[in-house]
Each structure stands twice: as structure tokens, then as C-alpha cells.
Amino acid sequence: GAAMLRGGTAVLRRAASGGGHGQGSAQPLEPSLLRFLVCPLSKRPLRYEEATNELINEELGIAYPIIDGIPNMIPEAARTTQKKPPAEGSKEP
Amino acid sequence: RGLAAGPEMHFGFQTVTEAERREKIYQVFESVAKKYDVMNDSMTLGIHRVWKDILVHKMNPSPGTLLLDVAGGTGDIAFRFINYVRSVRERQLQRKLRHHQNLSWQEIAESYQEDKSKSLGGSQVVVCDINKEMLKVGKEKAQNLGYTEGLSWVLGNAEELPFDDDKFDVYTIAFGIRNVTRIDLALQEAYRVLKPGGRFLCLEFSHVSNPLLSSLYDLYSFQVIPVLGEVIAGDWKSYQYLVESIRRFPPQEELKAMIEDAGFLKVDYQNLNLGIVAIHSGFKL
């Protein structure tokens, strides 16, 4: 039979604190996904930025948003990031 | 609109540019997402459930399998996968328990902790779809049906997957490859993300060679399905597209050749319902 869909609208909220299961309105990224996810363009690893709830490709300077716990890995949806000065955070090789 | 640059492609029986095709297909699924499951049941008289069951049984996943389900929007394959490995795991644990009949409760409890404590035995499925609405429906369904473990959702393009090489044991695409604009790219990506030894499985509408069944099928497709689409989903055009896209899709042997071109070996197909649907399988060896 048809699945009964609750008319709940997902509220967009940035995850303030990481960890835990994303069943509430704050939906962080499923941690196991980080094992598999890469940038669809360069196939290179991504960095999860908790503050903005995005997956960052440092090399290309783009960020993929995570909405309702679902990472949007379509290149057209990514935004370009400003190059940050090296003092901010550590650069991983 | 028709003067846009770019190669001409088909959208059902219309001729469009590549960009137009992607846009139109996105709109089709955006429009049908909420009624997708109901329409599947109505159009196929529930038989699509059997086809999907057969796909997962053919897969025969063991606990610990990593599955990538592409174009898996509303989760039908993912849920079946979870159910399957869960029941296999249960049987495994029961067998273990039977063999431990002469042990103390302490020892039995310890043996449980040795195995992966989760009921899925480490199995995981990633559902990847290009359409936000379809994923939304799938995620809600998962919550309503109680699927929380071992399941993740990614918005991505089958032609340009956001996954690392050699990662998955199985790649499935059920009733999705027909809607991909560059099937060759999707197949190449499938090959890339599979582990060596991994399996590609495609469930899709195919070609009926039996002339009597073919006529009946055409009649049903062109006369009944769009009407159902209008009555149930208020959307004749999307279901017209569906029917036309099935007719435009390569038949069994041609799809087999395309899968082989991507590098897969031991490529084979299995007709269901005399070719109304076919399951293609290949291995990355």
C-alpha cells in the first residue's frame, strides 16, 4: 500500500554540535558517509566543516551543502569558498 | 527553445537537447515523487514489488555487504536489502546459539559481543539519487518504517558519482538507468566505485519479443498508463514520458554490450515477464 507521508516540513537548521543520531531537526552528516564521499569533480577527499555543515574541497575551493542530513553532491549546487589564510585551521596533505 | 546548441537527444518521443532532457526528467520526478509508490503499484498491479524482490534475492547479500543503490530515490531496493541481511544475520546467530547449547549464559553472552553487535552485521546501503524530492520521500519512508541503521542518503549524479574508487561490493540501479542521459558515463562510474570482484545489477524495463504480448503491452502502456497517471497523480505528461522512455531504451543485447564496454565481465541478463523487465548483471574482475 502507499506509504503515509506525514506532512512535516523539514526545517533547515545548521548542526550546532556534532555527534549523535540525526533524528531531530538538527541533522548532521551521517559519520559513516565520510568514508565514501569524495568531490564528484576531482574525486579527491573532502573536509567536513561542522560550523557551516558543508563538505569542503580545499583544492578546488568549493563547498557542498548538507541539507536535512543529505549531502548535496551535485557540482552545480556547490558554492565557491574564499581562500582562507593558512593560519586558520591545519592544512592536511 | 529548439535552437539551443548541443547534440539532439530523445525525451520519450520528442527530440531535445541534452540540457533540456536533464531538466525535463528532473521535473518529471519532482512532479511524481509523492505519488511514486502509489503509481508503481497501480501501473504494474503490484508486480514491481516482485521484480524488486527478485533483484535482491539474486544479489543474495551476506551481512557486511556495502551496497550503493543509484537512482534509488524512494528506497525500495535499500529497504529490501536491509530486510534481507537482517534475516540472514538472524539465522546466523540462531545457528551459533544452537551450537552453544552446552555453554553457560556467560559464555553465550560473550560470544554475542564478539560478533558485530548490530543486527545488520556491518551491512550498509548508500542511496544516491539526483532528485531532491525523491530522496525526501525515501527518507521520510525510512523514518516511518523504522529503518535507521546502516542507511544513508546522498544527492548525486549517476554520471558523476561523489564516491571514491573501489569502495562498494554491489551497485544497483533499479528503474533508473533509463532516465540517465549519458548511460555510458553512468556505467563507467559504476565500474569505478565497485571493489574488484564487485557486482553491477541493473533492473529495468526491456524489450518484449513475443508479438502477442508486445501488442497487449503496447495497448496497456499507451492507453491505460497515462490515464492512470492523470487520475491518480493528476499528471498525464509524466506518465506519457515514462511509457515513451521505455520504448526508446536499448533492448537486452544492446544494454549488455554497453555494460561490457564499461569493462564489466561475465555480463548476463535475465528476462522477467517475457522481457517486460530484465535484470542485467556484470562483475568487475
Side-chain angles (χ1 to χ4, degrees):
Chain A
M4 290 292 291
L5 297 174
R6 291 196 223 118
T9 43
V11 178
L12 256 179
R13 276 191 221 170
R14 304 287 187 209
S17 54
H21 300 286
Q23 295 297 334
S25 48
Q27 301 215 25
L29 183 70
E30 176 90 38
S32 57
L33 263 183
L34 285 170
R35 279 203 283 149
F36 310 118
L37 281 178
V38 294
C39 173
L41 295 169
S42 66
K43 312 300 187 195
R44 304 277 291 138
L46 298 163
R47 181 175 62 81
Y48 175 51
E49 176 58 67
E50 219 174 295
T52 56
N53 209 24
E54 288 174 323
L55 289 160
I56 317 269
N57 180 334
E58 301 276 17
E59 290 170 338
L60 296 181
I62 49 179
Y64 297 93
I66 298 168
I67 302 171
D68 299 333
I70 301 177
N72 184 338
M73 309 306 295
I74 309 286
E76 290 83 356
R79 68 171 184 91
T80 47
T81 58
Q82 300 242 318
K83 292 245 157 41
K84 290 183 180 178
E88 200 163 323
S90 55
K91 265 225 158 124
E92 279 160 45
Chain B
R1 205 172 200 246
L3 294 175
E8 294 203 320
M9 318 205 85
H10 59 84
F11 173 75
F13 290 154
Q14 297 173 44
T15 302
V16 296
T17 62
E18 190 170 312
E20 283 175 329
R21 186 178 194 270
R22 288 173 200 279
E23 181 59 36
K24 284 168 114 80
I25 289 174
Y26 193 90
Q27 283 164 2
V28 164
F29 283 93
E30 196 173 44
S31 165
V32 308
K34 292 202 167 73
K35 292 271 168 59
Y36 186 71
D37 292 340
V38 177
M39 277 306 299
N40 284 344
D41 277 334
S42 316
M43 289 189 299
T44 66
L45 307 172
I47 301 174
H48 74 102
R49 296 166 182 240
V50 177
W51 293 329
K52 289 163 183 169
D53 288 343
I54 294 174
L55 178 70
V56 175
H57 276 256
K58 191 180 175 89
M59 191 195 306
N60 189 25
S62 47
T65 298
L66 288 172
L67 169 66
L68 174 63
D69 182 35
V70 174
T74 56
D76 280 350
I77 302 298
F79 303 150
R80 281 169 171 78
F81 170 79
I82 291 173
N83 292 340
Y84 195 98
V85 293
R86 205 176 259 161
S87 62
V88 171
R89 184 94 185 114
E90 265 172 41
R91 260 180 284 139
Q92 277 179 351
L93 290 175
Q94 274 169 22
R95 233 179 290 140
K96 279 207 131 174
L97 190 61
R98 258 182 273 134
H99 291 152
H100 289 165
Q101 273 167 1
N102 295 327
L103 301 181
S104 67
W105 282 114
Q106 175 72 16
E107 287 164 300
I108 293 171
E110 274 169 4
S111 79
Y112 268 71
Q113 267 138 42
E114 272 164 20
D115 304 321
K116 307 220 162 92
S117 51
K118 297 180 179 176
S119 60
L120 295 181
S123 318
Q124 246 191 300
V125 49
V126 178
V127 178
C128 180
D129 199 290
I130 201 173
N131 194 291
K132 215 169 270 188
E133 292 304 312
M134 294 289 281
L135 278 177
K136 251 173 78 174
V137 171
K139 205 156 186 244
E140 277 180 49
K141 251 170 84 179
Q143 278 172 3
N144 293 340
L145 296 172
Y147 292 100
T148 48
E149 237 187 286
L151 175 61
S152 10
W153 309 84
V154 175
L155 223 163
N157 185 345
E159 299 168 8
E160 210 167 25
L161 289 174
F163 304 109
D164 208 356
D165 301 0
D166 307 317
K167 278 279 175 286
F168 295 95
D169 296 306
V170 186
Y171 172 112
T172 50
I173 184 164
F175 302 113
I177 203 164
R178 193 181 78 252
N179 303 306
V180 170
T181 301
R182 291 283 307 274
I183 296 176
D184 56 333
L185 293 180
L187 292 172
Q188 281 171 33
E189 281 289 86
Y191 190 86
R192 181 181 65 78
V193 303
L194 277 170
K195 288 181 194 167
R199 188 176 199 181
F200 169 86
L201 284 166
C202 169
L203 172 68
E204 189 53 84
F205 290 108
S206 199
H207 183 72
V208 176
S209 44
N210 177 298
L212 175 63
L213 181 61
S214 184
S215 316
L216 289 173
Y217 184 39
D218 280 352
L219 193 76
Y220 182 75
S221 296
F222 288 102
Q223 305 300 329
V224 177
I225 287 182
V227 175
L228 280 178
E230 183 57 42
V231 168
I232 295 177
D235 190 347
W236 174 289
K237 281 177 132 186
S238 292
Y239 291 91
Q240 178 84 15
Y241 160 72
L242 168 77
V243 170
E244 291 176 1
S245 69
I246 293 172
R247 294 296 175 291
R248 288 299 224 124
F249 188 69
Q252 288 86 333
E253 281 293 324
E254 203 180 310
L255 182 59
K256 178 177 179 222
M258 290 170 80
I259 296 170
E260 283 166 341
D261 283 344
F264 290 101
L265 297 178
K266 293 192 102 29
V267 181
D268 201 4
Y269 60 84
Q270 177 189 355
N271 278 336
L272 305 179
N273 294 116
L274 291 172
I276 292 179
V277 158
I279 298 178
H280 281 71
S281 163
F283 290 89
K284 175 173 177 171
L285 297 171

